[in-house]
Amino acid sequence: MYSEKVMDHFRNPRNVGELSQADGIGEVGNARCGDIMKLWIKVENGVISDLRFKTFGCGAAIATSSMITEIAKGKTLDEAENITDNLIAEALDGLPPLKMHCSNLAADALKAAIADYRLKQSSAS
Amino acid sequence: MYSEKVMDHFRNPRNVGELSQADGIGEVGNARCGDIMKLWIKVENGVISDLRFKTFGCGAAIATSSMITEIAKGKTLDEAENITDNLIAEALDGLPPLKMHCSNLAADALKAAIADYRLKQSSAS
Amino acid sequence: MTQIYMDHAATTPLRPEVLETMLPYFSEEFGNASSVYGWGRRARQALDRSRDTVAEILGAQAEEIVFTGSGSEAINLALKGAAKAQQKKGRHIVTTAIEHHAAYDSVFWLKKNGYEVTVLPVDSEGRINPEAVRSALRPDTILVSVMHANNEVGTIQPISAIGALVQEHGALFHTDAVQTAGILKLNVDELNVDLLSLAAHKFYGPKGVGALYVRKGVRLEPLVHGGFQERGRRAGTENIAGIVGLASALDLAAAERELESRRLARLRDRLFAGLQEIPFTRINGSRVHRLPNNVSVCFEFIEGESLLLNLDLRGIAASSGSACTSGSLEPSHVLLALGLSHEIAHGSLRLTLGRETTESDVDYVLGEIPEIVHRLREMSPLYQA
Amino acid sequence: MTQIYMDHAATTPLRPEVLETMLPYFSEEFGNASSVYGWGRRARQALDRSRDTVAEILGAQAEEIVFTGSGSEAINLALKGAAKAQQKKGRHIVTTAIEHHAAYDSVFWLKKNGYEVTVLPVDSEGRINPEAVRSALRPDTILVSVMHANNEVGTIQPISAIGALVQEHGALFHTDAVQTAGILKLNVDELNVDLLSLAAHKFYGPKGVGALYVRKGVRLEPLVHGGFQERGRRAGTENIAGIVGLASALDLAAAERELESRRLARLRDRLFAGLQEIPFTRINGSRVHRLPNNVSVCFEFIEGESLLLNLDLRGIAASSGSACTSGSLEPSHVLLALGLSHEIAHGSLRLTLGRETTESDVDYVLGEIPEIVHRLREMSPLYQA
Ligand SMILES: Cc1ncc(COP(=O)(O)O)c(C=O)c1O
Ligand SMILES: Cc1ncc(COP(=O)(O)O)c(C=O)c1O
């Protein structure tokens, strides 16, 4: 069902956990639907320097969470905002059709974290 | 499907043919329904002394035709008229439910032959 | 004793090499294809592979194949399923007088449930004229069903021509290919069909499994509701061993089809030639548009079941459209539709050849039949020698 | 690697001794049971023998058994078939909120087609109160369907008591015994049922074959129309090998049932005891009225599919009522009907034991699960350690 890549990220998810001094936090999904992703980001000079996640969800949800932390690291905020669900799915060598919404979730969580960061910046300035 | 007895009578039907000088002839069934039995009887002193049959029909039709010639031989006309379909079926160690009508056919053919004989007798006297 | 099986239209033995492909899926790879773990994933892979195989042979896409529990179920699903899903568009159905009961009775169930049905007659060889189909089409015609080849008399229909005009009209076209799968080439685009049914046990696959081709975009109401198997078109845990068997049997048949067809046609013609020497014998069906393995004749003045029993006593397995083999009073509706009288239809004999049939089998049969026919005629009140 | 199968409610491996009984009917005794010659008669004998076996185990008559292509088909035939045949008497049907989709969706298809449906709730253990059934009965109630034991949470229903009052009322009573056949004693008179469905692959028989008990005198409209097989209640060439397999598997299961049930119940209780030591773990279903082989729990804060994948990585095959295993968003309707929140229902785990399950399997599983649950919780935004 899942690609080797998905199973690799599922088995050894990268960047699990929380960032105690995060610059932005995004949370999407809801427990009713069976998946929640929470993402912490650290931003330095407009570049995402670090990320952590916690996910309640299926194998695809965990793998896409892990994958997005790898893809986004080192990207500028603008670049990171343009990471699409398809890009994440491709990076994982594809997802089963019924699981495509999981890659959506990851992209949305990242956007939410960046929005949170921007909101905090604008209220601080 | 068929008992050994049925198959024996089917394989070696007794008394097949015609009686050139029959005292009575009975014919029942019709080709439309797939079975016709024709029966020739010879009567001596109120007793059926000989019979022959020709049958167009299934295995059960042929076997019951053969069997009734054996049962009826040597019987008085009254006895012969009382041969029931059940008796024929029993003598053959039973018939499949869907084939019970075939034993009916044989009993009817005998009755028809006896009626024919009686008719001829009464018109002769 | 000699044992010759000449009833391949009724069913065929499972090919040992097909059984080999099935065996792993009984006790080892027994998983439920809906499960996420290894056993389930391997079952799913076998299912997907089988679907790909069947799709490729039919010239279809994998998602257009629905596996069922029999040919009859495939036909019922096609006809009732498509009619129900199309009922807003219309309620008129066209079919023929020589369909198999699975199709015929499905259509008549629909008739009882508010559909209108036109039953097209066939000519004396059992052929449908495409023009007759065209004239039967109405604005509210939603579905046409014509069998690919008839199981009793072997007549092959001009499916491609009929399909073209049905599709042009905008109705759905189903063909019952139960008798042709594994014997004729089946390409759903060349045949212009939207729905096509087949059954594994007719081409040396296992009993208890069939398949339905459903053209992309054609909606069906399921017959068996429940789980989401077969994309919601047929619920129930998939019979993986059976499906693997269906696919591998079809694959083998497709590979051997051309050579085997020619071989069978030669044997068929030899049989016909021999049988025609028996007086008062009629050939049923078309000599030209005919399955390569089907021989069907009527012997006048005798009845089919007693003929079959005599053949069986000499080790020959065959079939008849006789009423008495089915326990009813009416002989085969197919023979009657060809215009035969009841009387003659009762005396029909069908010999259908297969992979194991040899020339010496044919000759053995030709040696036995005349004597049996003669004996039964001698016994028949209809026959005057 | 260790490979432990704990999903016997999903499907079971075919018993090799059952396969042995089937093998002759693939390539040698392959006849069509409707044929008059030797191959056909021997197929018919095998069919009759199998029917007798099943009937005897159920305390029924041979002619009351209809073989089908799956459990789902048996259920669809029972519900749609009986409802259609009874529609002149009324159009009200009663069922429960925890039926398998095959029953649930059949009933909802009937609802779409003009029937009225009452769906009874269950208590927090998944039990139906017979009194609730009684209150739901109306003069126009024609059919009641309550599953014998639930496939997800293992709760056994008071079928005999419900059946008594349904039959007294004059309605028909169907039970889905797919999960209990081969595990609990099934006697149709003791259970007071008119219709009872089962599937061979749940008791170490083959996939692709099921059976329906139909009490004498109960009329059914067929689901699959066509030939006169199964006394006109299910058309299609009979799957002799499959039917022989169903009968021999049921026969073996019936003989071993009592001993095996006790053994399984002990293993089940050992599993429960171990799992209960994991914090935030709930047991689903009844502890008393429970299948001997069913363990169902919910682990809070985690999601079922990721749990299953982790178990699979450690060689354990199990299942979950998680939405994500079925690709939908809604978790199991059964767990929701028991009153669990969506959030908790997503974290369910079902372990179902079988013939091959040993105590050391149970201990292995108990050794792995706590660690996996802990790891997933550490990763869960819902969990605060
Ligand atoms: C209770 C219950 N009913 C019906 C079914 C359907 O059986 P099948 O999938 O074999 O058709 C199942 C199993 O999937 C079941 O557990
Ligand atoms: C033309 C045709 N259609 C349908 C069927 C039904 O197939 P099955 O009996 O395998 O369901 C048959 C064979 O019996 C057939 O010959």
Side-chain angles (χ1 to χ4, degrees):
Chain A
M1 175 168 79
Y2 288 129
S3 68
E4 277 303 309
K5 209 63 166 285
V6 170
M7 286 310 292
D8 174 43
H9 277 265
F10 174 73
R11 222 173 333 211
N12 306 299
R14 332 301 196 235
N15 304 308
V16 176
E18 312 189 359
L19 280 179
S20 51
Q21 302 207 318
D23 297 316
I25 305 179
E27 181 168 342
V28 292
N30 73 63
R32 210 185 137 85
C33 296
D35 40 28
I36 299 181
M37 181 178 176
K38 196 164 175 183
L39 192 66
W40 288 260
I41 57 172
K42 190 125 203 88
V43 182
E44 282 173 31
N45 304 324
V47 166
I48 299 181
S49 60
D50 206 0
L51 311 84
R52 290 287 184 283
F53 80 90
K54 280 195 168 182
T55 291
F56 162 83
C58 66
I62 290 173
T64 53
S65 302
S66 166
M67 179 50 88
I68 205 169
T69 63
E70 289 213 322
I71 297 179
K73 199 164 193 166
K75 292 243 179 337
T76 66
L77 291 177
D78 288 355
E79 286 166 351
E81 269 183 314
N82 285 324
I83 297 174
T84 61
D85 42 353
N86 277 332
L87 187 90
I88 305 166
E90 270 168 35
L92 288 165
D93 294 342
L95 283 174
L98 290 169
K99 300 289 187 173
M100 283 304 293
H101 73 277
C102 295
S103 54
N104 238 317
L105 195 75
D108 288 352
L110 181 56
K111 287 197 189 81
I114 294 174
D116 180 52
Y117 165 77
R118 292 212 161 110
L119 195 72
K120 279 179 183 152
Q121 289 303 100
S122 62
S123 56
S125 65
Chain B
M1 173 169 78
Y2 289 130
S3 68
E4 276 302 310
K5 211 57 166 290
V6 171
M7 286 310 293
D8 175 41
H9 277 264
F10 174 74
R11 221 170 337 207
N12 306 300
R14 331 300 197 236
N15 306 307
V16 176
E18 311 188 0
L19 282 178
S20 52
Q21 302 206 317
D23 298 316
I25 304 179
E27 179 169 343
V28 292
N30 72 63
R32 210 186 137 84
C33 296
D35 40 26
I36 299 182
M37 181 178 176
K38 197 163 174 183
L39 192 66
W40 289 260
I41 58 173
K42 191 125 204 86
V43 182
E44 283 171 32
N45 303 325
V47 167
I48 299 180
S49 61
D50 205 0
L51 312 84
R52 290 287 184 285
F53 80 91
K54 280 196 168 181
T55 290
F56 161 85
C58 66
I62 291 174
T64 52
S65 303
S66 165
M67 179 49 90
I68 206 170
T69 63
E70 289 213 322
I71 297 178
K73 199 165 192 167
K75 292 244 180 336
T76 65
L77 291 177
D78 288 354
E79 285 167 352
E81 269 182 314
N82 285 326
I83 297 174
T84 61
D85 43 351
N86 277 332
L87 186 90
I88 305 166
E90 268 168 37
L92 287 165
D93 294 343
L95 283 173
L98 290 170
K99 300 288 188 175
M100 283 304 293
H101 73 277
C102 296
S103 54
N104 237 317
L105 195 74
D108 288 351
L110 181 57
K111 288 197 188 81
I114 294 173
D116 180 54
Y117 165 78
R118 292 211 160 111
L119 195 70
K120 281 176 182 154
Q121 290 302 100
S122 61
S123 56
S125 65
Chain C
M1 195 179 83
T2 314
Q3 289 289 341
I4 294 176
Y5 185 73
M6 286 217 180
D7 202 13
H8 291 83
T11 193
T12 58
L14 184 68
R15 286 176 77 151
E17 59 270 50
V18 171
L19 179 57
E20 282 304 315
T21 67
M22 297 167 61
L23 283 176
Y25 298 97
F26 287 121
S27 303
E28 291 142 54
E29 295 301 345
F30 64 90
N32 187 318
S34 304
S35 304
V36 299
Y37 44 75
W39 277 286
R41 291 195 305 269
R42 292 188 297 272
R44 163 74 48 195
Q45 278 157 17
L47 181 59
D48 290 347
R49 259 197 320 271
S50 301
R51 203 183 301 279
D52 288 344
T53 300
V54 173
E56 196 186 316
I57 292 170
L58 300 182
Q61 305 292 312
E63 63 268 28
E64 295 176 317
I65 306 300
V66 178
F67 293 112
T68 67
S70 68
S72 296
E73 188 193 331
I75 294 168
N76 275 253
L77 172 58
L79 298 180
K80 299 179 193 169
K84 288 299 198 101
Q86 305 289 315
Q87 62 188 4
K88 295 233 168 71
K89 284 185 59 189
R91 289 175 160 255
H92 180 238
I93 299 169
V94 177
T95 189
T96 84
I98 57 161
E99 300 298 305
H100 186 272
H101 281 291
Y104 208 76
D105 293 0
S106 291
V107 168
F108 275 81
W109 179 85
L110 285 165
K111 187 169 175 178
K112 239 185 57 191
N113 284 269
Y115 291 75
E116 270 186 87
V117 177
T118 300
V119 179
L120 297 174
V122 292
D123 67 19
S124 63
E125 297 194 332
R127 286 266 286 184
I128 291 283
N129 187 333
E131 285 311 310
V133 177
R134 190 199 297 280
S135 330
L137 294 174
R138 307 190 324 203
D140 61 340
T141 305
I142 49 171
L143 180 62
V144 176
S145 188
V146 178
M147 72 198 311
H148 193 188
N150 182 268
N151 45 308
E152 294 188 33
V153 298
T155 303
I156 299 170
Q157 303 298 343
I159 293 302
S160 177
I162 298 172
L165 60 90
V166 172
Q167 290 186 334
E168 191 192 300
H169 187 81
L172 296 177
F173 186 47
H174 168 254
T175 195
D176 167 356
V178 169
Q179 284 295 331
T180 54
I183 295 190
L184 301 185
K185 185 179 174 202
L186 296 182
N187 179 292
V188 293
D189 288 334
E190 290 171 13
L191 290 172
N192 298 314
V193 295
D194 301 300
L195 298 152
L196 179 148
S197 312
L198 51 85
H201 74 100
K202 305 283 189 183
F203 47 85
Y204 310 92
K207 294 180 178 54
V209 57
L212 177 64
Y213 159 78
V214 186
R215 189 174 290 279
K216 209 167 186 149
V218 172
R219 283 182 41 244
L220 290 185
E221 178 177 290
L223 199 63
V224 180
H225 285 88
F228 197 73
Q229 291 93 348
E230 301 297 311
R231 298 177 165 244
R233 292 171 295 190
R234 199 255 185 183
T237 302
E238 297 91 341
N239 173 7
I240 304 293
I243 289 167
V244 164
L246 182 149
S248 64
L250 192 62
D251 203 26
L252 286 168
E256 300 166 2
R257 194 176 50 74
E258 294 194 27
L259 263 178
E260 177 66 1
S261 278
R262 279 200 288 278
R263 193 185 72 88
L264 289 171
R266 273 194 301 272
L267 294 177
R268 172 197 67 190
D269 294 340
R270 188 182 183 91
L271 250 180
F272 268 129
L275 293 176
Q276 277 184 294
E277 291 180 12
I278 301 174
F280 305 108
T281 299
R282 306 171 173 226
I283 290 183
N284 301 320
S286 165
R287 285 306 308 264
V288 182
H289 306 288
R290 186 174 200 104
L291 285 175
N293 68 332
N294 175 292
V295 167
S296 172
V297 294
C298 283
F299 299 114
E300 293 185 48
F301 318 121
I302 66 176
E303 192 278 336
E305 195 212 60
S306 51
L307 178 60
L308 296 190
L309 289 175
N310 274 302
L311 287 168
D312 183 43
L313 290 173
R314 299 179 192 209
I316 301 165
S319 112
S320 169
S322 151
C324 258
T325 61
S326 61
S328 84
L329 290 179
E330 283 289 301
S332 148
H333 68 287
V334 173
L335 298 175
L336 298 179
L338 263 60
L340 297 187
S341 70
H342 278 68
E343 194 174 321
I344 289 177
H346 282 297
S348 71
L349 174 69
R350 180 185 73 179
L351 298 164
T352 44
L353 317 179
R355 285 170 46 73
E356 331 81 49
T357 312
T358 63
E359 199 169 288
S360 79
D361 291 346
V362 166
D363 292 341
Y364 175 81
V365 169
L366 285 176
E368 300 293 327
I369 290 183
E371 209 181 296
I372 295 173
V373 169
H374 178 73
R375 202 167 148 263
L376 287 172
R377 283 183 177 162
E378 286 295 311
M379 213 185 274
S380 168
L382 300 173
Y383 180 66
Q384 313 295 346
Chain D
M1 194 177 84
T2 315
Q3 289 290 342
I4 294 175
Y5 185 73
M6 287 217 179
D7 201 14
H8 291 82
T11 193
T12 58
L14 184 68
R15 286 176 76 151
E17 59 270 50
V18 171
L19 179 58
E20 282 304 314
T21 67
M22 297 168 62
L23 283 177
Y25 298 97
F26 287 121
S27 304
E28 290 143 54
E29 294 301 345
F30 64 89
N32 188 317
S34 304
S35 306
V36 299
Y37 44 75
W39 277 284
R41 292 196 304 270
R42 292 188 297 272
R44 162 76 46 195
Q45 278 157 18
L47 181 59
D48 289 347
R49 259 198 319 271
S50 301
R51 205 185 300 280
D52 288 344
T53 301
V54 174
E56 196 185 316
I57 292 170
L58 300 182
Q61 305 292 311
E63 64 268 28
E64 295 176 316
I65 306 300
V66 178
F67 292 113
T68 68
S70 67
S72 295
E73 188 193 330
I75 294 168
N76 275 253
L77 173 58
L79 299 179
K80 299 178 191 170
K84 287 297 198 103
Q86 304 289 315
Q87 62 188 4
K88 294 235 168 70
K89 286 185 57 189
R91 291 178 157 252
H92 180 237
I93 299 168
V94 177
T95 188
T96 84
I98 56 160
E99 300 298 306
H100 186 272
H101 281 290
Y104 208 76
D105 293 0
S106 290
V107 167
F108 274 81
W109 179 86
L110 286 165
K111 185 167 177 180
K112 237 185 58 190
N113 284 270
Y115 291 75
E116 268 185 88
V117 177
T118 300
V119 179
L120 297 173
V122 293
D123 68 19
S124 63
E125 297 193 333
R127 287 267 285 183
I128 292 283
N129 187 335
E131 285 310 311
V133 176
R134 189 198 299 278
S135 330
L137 294 174
R138 308 192 320 204
D140 61 341
T141 305
I142 49 172
L143 180 62
V144 176
S145 187
V146 178
M147 74 198 309
H148 194 186
N150 183 268
N151 45 309
E152 294 187 35
V153 299
T155 303
I156 299 169
Q157 303 297 344
I159 292 301
S160 177
I162 297 172
L165 59 90
V166 172
Q167 291 187 332
E168 192 192 299
H169 187 80
L172 297 177
F173 185 47
H174 168 254
T175 195
D176 168 356
V178 169
Q179 284 295 332
T180 53
I183 296 190
L184 301 186
K185 184 179 176 201
L186 296 183
N187 178 294
V188 293
D189 288 333
E190 290 172 13
L191 290 172
N192 297 314
V193 294
D194 301 299
L195 298 152
L196 177 148
S197 313
L198 50 85
H201 75 100
K202 305 283 189 184
F203 47 83
Y204 309 92
K207 295 180 177 55
V209 57
L212 177 64
Y213 159 78
V214 185
R215 188 175 291 278
K216 209 167 187 148
V218 172
R219 283 183 40 246
L220 289 186
E221 177 177 289
L223 198 62
V224 179
H225 286 87
F228 198 71
Q229 291 91 349
E230 302 297 310
R231 298 178 164 242
R233 292 172 295 190
R234 199 254 184 186
T237 303
E238 299 91 341
N239 174 8
I240 304 293
I243 289 167
V244 164
L246 182 148
S248 65
L250 191 62
D251 203 26
L252 286 168
E256 300 166 0
R257 194 175 51 74
E258 293 193 30
L259 263 177
E260 178 65 2
S261 279
R262 278 201 288 279
R263 193 187 72 88
L264 289 171
R266 273 194 301 273
L267 294 177
R268 171 197 68 189
D269 293 340
R270 187 181 183 92
L271 250 178
F272 267 129
L275 293 176
Q276 277 185 292
E277 290 180 12
I278 301 175
F280 303 109
T281 298
R282 304 170 174 229
I283 290 183
N284 302 319
S286 165
R287 285 307 307 265
V288 182
H289 306 288
R290 186 174 201 104
L291 285 175
N293 68 332
N294 175 292
V295 168
S296 172
V297 296
C298 284
F299 299 115
E300 292 186 49
F301 318 121
I302 67 175
E303 191 279 335
E305 195 213 60
S306 51
L307 177 61
L308 296 191
L309 289 174
N310 274 302
L311 287 167
D312 183 43
L313 290 172
R314 301 180 190 207
I316 301 165
S319 111
S320 168
S322 151
C324 258
T325 61
S326 60
S328 84
L329 290 178
E330 283 289 299
S332 148
H333 68 286
V334 174
L335 297 175
L336 298 180
L338 264 60
L340 297 187
S341 70
H342 278 68
E343 192 174 322
I344 288 176
H346 282 296
S348 70
L349 175 69
R350 180 185 75 178
L351 298 163
T352 44
L353 318 179
R355 284 170 45 73
E356 330 82 48
T357 312
T358 63
E359 199 168 289
S360 80
D361 292 345
V362 167
D363 292 342
Y364 175 81
V365 169
L366 285 176
E368 299 295 325
I369 290 183
E371 209 181 295
I372 295 173
V373 170
H374 178 72
R375 202 167 147 263
L376 287 171
R377 283 182 177 162
E378 285 296 311
M379 214 187 275
S380 168
L382 301 173
Y383 181 64
Q384 313 294 348

